[in-house]
Amino acid sequence: EKGGHEYFMLKEIEEQPEALANTLRGHFESGRIILDEQRISDQDLRDVDKVFVVACGSAYHSGLVAKYAIEHWTRLPVEVELASEFRYRDPVLDRDTLVVAVSQSGETADTLEAVRHAREQKARVLAVCNTNGAQIPRESDAVLYTHAGPEIGVASTKAFLAQIAANYLVGLALAQARGTKYPDEVAREFAELEAMPAAVQKVLSTVEQTRDLGRRIADSRAVLFLGRHVGFPVALEGALKLKELAYMHAEGFAAGELKHGPIALIEDGLPVVVVMPSPKGRAVLHSKLVSNISEIQARGARTIVIAEEGDETVRPFADELIEVPAVPTLLQPLVSTVPLQVLAAEIARARGYDVDKPRNLAKSVTVE
Ligand code: M6R
């Protein structure tokens, strides 16, 4: 049931605090991060010298976000690969490689084939999956289940946020095994994750404002999304949501690339969504993005800025401002993605499309 909502996706967006809380529950006991089914020994986990995240679509974006955290916490190199590309380019894999396969359905053909390829090459495979007993977790050496609950809308929302949280748990489990984080640091990171359902709940109080904005820009021809650091994959995710639901041309860019091409796309009235980093947590990147926004605004773009509450410097350059609560930088995608989901859904609705069943798409893609 849609729980009184016009479409499932809105209900699922609102279920995100619960999805996060359920995904984290039970994974920190007696001062240690624990995975679900772990058929990889502690020693093998300690010996990991390289991590690949393989996935498709939104799950791939969750991997791009997690790369920042896993590298920071573990000092291991992390490569994030589209599952459909992974096994066709002869990736360098051996028994000290950990391949994290992220899939909501656990049945995505490309991700499953990537898992099989990795195992043939003797790599260890850990599945992050939302569906109990699906094929990908069945064929993996370890599993971490996201407990987002069934996701009906074709566009991933709560599963995506849960995937980020689960990927972070994988990062913390590795940091703990390798000793790159002290136990009290792991505990602190986990506590920060545990505070996220409340932060996401706060963002949900801006849903009506964002829906209103969606209706106002629904007849645009295209929308661009910009971000930096963890805000970059959030921009990619925002653009994917808009493509799949509203059938609009949408692109996500790393803001630092603007002058290397994308700025040529800016024209009068073009909506550009900018995911701002924290002015305190990432002051240097913040000021670079402020100057990017002023440049695109001067060229006529309609700037839609997702910024931390109380970020005054950005105000003069924001034609539209959506505030999200201040959270640690690595966790920012969990709050800044939410308005982008709402925006895409509402633009699609305003254009008269079926938000839960976009054209040409299936919930899980079981053919390559
Ligand atoms: O079930 P999976 O997580 O493996 O699915 C991966 C993608 O097909 C999926 O995330 C797709 O991109 C969504 N429709 C995005 O909203």
Side-chain angles (χ1 to χ4, degrees), residues 32 35 38-51 74 76 94-100 119 122-126 141-142 170 173-179:
R32 290 186 68 75
L35 305 175
Q38 193 177 333
R39 297 175 285 264
I40 305 177
S41 71
D42 286 347
Q43 184 59 48
D44 288 342
L45 216 50
R46 254 193 300 282
D47 288 344
V48 167
D49 62 8
K50 180 171 48 171
V51 179
T74 66
L76 287 169
D94 59 34
R95 52 183 64 253
D96 293 332
T97 311
L98 180 70
V99 173
V100 182
R119 294 200 76 202
K122 307 282 181 259
R124 322 277 169 181
V125 177
L126 187 156
D141 300 299
V170 173
L174 279 169
Q176 163 182 284
R178 292 167 50 75

Side-chain angles (χ1 to χ4, degrees), residues 111-180:
T111 312
L112 178 59
E113 290 304 328
V115 164
R116 290 178 175 157
H117 179 76
R119 294 200 76 202
E120 275 162 23
Q121 306 290 312
K122 307 282 181 259
R124 322 277 169 181
V125 177
L126 187 156
V128 169
C129 183
N130 196 44
T131 315
N132 234 306
Q135 197 63 23
I136 290 171
R138 276 215 301 271
E139 296 197 22
S140 299
D141 300 299
V143 187
L144 185 53
Y145 282 107
T146 46
H147 292 283
E151 196 176 57
I152 308 294
V154 164
S156 184
T157 52
K158 59 179 182 171
F160 173 71
L161 255 57
Q163 282 162 350
I164 295 176
N167 294 346
Y168 279 20
L169 292 177
V170 173
L172 290 176
L174 279 169
Q176 163 182 284
R178 292 167 50 75
T180 49

Side-chain angles (χ1 to χ4, degrees), residues 232-255:
F232 169 41
V234 171
L236 297 178
E237 174 65 5
L240 176 62
K241 291 283 97 98
L242 198 57
K243 280 175 215 171
E244 69 177 337
L245 296 175
Y247 321 145
M248 275 164 89
H249 176 226
E251 294 290 337
F253 296 109

Side-chain angles (χ1 to χ4, degrees), residues 49-52 67 70-71 74-79 178:
D49 62 8
K50 180 171 48 171
V51 179
F52 279 101
K67 175 182 166 90
I70 302 177
E71 288 189 337
T74 66
R75 311 311 300 144
L76 287 169
V78 178
E79 288 187 46
R178 292 167 50 75

